[in-house]
Amino acid sequence: MTQPDTEGKQRLIHSSLLQIPQPIRFLAAGALSQLIFLTGYTTSLHHLESQLSASSVYAIISLLYIPVGHAITCLFVFGWPNPYLRSLLSTVPIGLSTMALGTVSTGLFFSIGFDEKMDDFLINNFGALYWGDKEGEAHLDGRYSSIVVMIITSIWSYVATMAVMGEAPKNKDEEVELTKMKTRKTKKE
C-alpha cells in the first residue's frame, strides 16, 4: 500500500501522470518493464547460453529484476511507498511466483522446441509476412517463447499486484459500501 503525500495525492515520478487512469499507467509501466526485462534476458541468454540453460538464465534475471520492476510500478502506477522496504518485501512473493511460472514455462517451451515450431509455422503459413531467415536460423534466442512467457507472467503479475498494492477501502463505511455493491452485483447475476 502506498501512502499519499501531505496533499493526499500519490507520489508518482511526475504529477501529470495523475491525469492518466491507473489501469493505463499500469499497462504502460508494464510494457516499459517488460521491454527492459526482455532486453536483459535476451542479452544474458546470448552471453550465457553455453554455461546455463534458458530457464536458469530466466530465473537469475527475474530474481535480479524484482526491485527494478517494483520501482517502475511504484513510480508510474501506485506512487512511491512510505516505507519503501516494506512495500518491496510485500511484492517479493509476487516476483518469486512470477519467476517460478516464467522459469517453468521457459523450460517447457525450450524442451518442446517451441521457437523452431513457431518459426516453421510462420514460414509455412505466412511466408510473405515472415521476417526471419527463410534459409533456417541456427538459433532463435527464445524469440517466440519469450513473448508467450511475457504474456503469461504479465497477466499473473497484474492480478497479484492489484491484489497487494491496489487501493483498499479507507475506512469502515467505505468497506461496508463495497461489500453492499458486491452483494447487489451477485444478486443481479
Side-chain angles (χ1 to χ4, degrees):
M1 229 26 100
T2 59
Q3 300 294 325
D5 64 12
T6 55
E7 297 174 2
K9 295 181 181 178
Q10 294 174 327
R11 295 181 299 173
L12 300 175
I13 194 165
H14 194 275
S15 61
S16 65
L17 289 172
L18 291 170
Q19 304 301 317
I20 302 169
Q22 188 179 44
I24 302 299
R25 292 193 320 254
F26 196 98
L27 182 64
L32 173 64
S33 187
Q34 287 295 331
L35 178 67
I36 294 168
F37 174 80
L38 284 176
T39 301
Y41 168 69
T42 305
T43 303
S44 299
L45 184 61
H46 177 72
H47 291 293
L48 299 173
E49 67 187 339
S50 63
Q51 300 158 347
L52 297 169
S53 68
S55 58
S56 295
V57 172
Y58 184 92
I60 293 166
I61 297 302
S62 292
L63 191 59
L64 295 174
Y65 193 74
I66 289 172
V68 176
H70 179 260
I72 290 171
T73 302
C74 289
L75 290 170
F76 290 95
V77 182
F78 297 109
W80 196 255
N82 185 17
Y84 177 76
L85 189 57
R86 183 181 305 160
S87 177
L88 175 62
L89 293 176
S90 73
T91 61
V92 166
I94 296 169
L96 293 176
S97 62
T98 301
M99 177 187 68
L101 180 62
T103 301
V104 169
S105 300
T106 301
L108 174 70
F109 290 143
F110 271 83
S111 70
I112 64 170
F114 180 80
D115 290 307
E116 291 80 10
K117 289 177 182 178
M118 184 59 106
D119 205 43
D120 291 341
F121 173 80
L122 291 173
I123 290 170
N124 293 334
N125 295 297
F126 303 101
L129 301 175
Y130 181 70
W131 61 84
D133 179 9
K134 292 182 182 177
E135 301 300 319
E137 294 185 22
H139 188 55
L140 295 171
D141 286 334
R143 179 184 307 164
Y144 306 115
S145 58
S146 294
I147 293 169
V148 176
V149 169
M150 177 186 71
I151 292 168
I152 293 168
T153 57
S154 294
I155 291 169
W156 167 249
S157 292
Y158 175 77
V159 171
T161 302
M162 290 304 290
V164 172
M165 293 182 70
E167 290 189 28
K170 294 180 177 107
N171 58 39
K172 190 70 172 170
D173 293 334
E174 198 173 304
E175 188 174 4
V176 169
E177 185 60 32
L178 185 61
T179 304
K180 286 180 184 177
M181 287 174 43
K182 287 181 182 178
T183 304
R184 280 186 236 136
K185 184 178 178 183
T186 305
K187 286 181 181 178
K188 287 181 182 179
E189 293 173 354

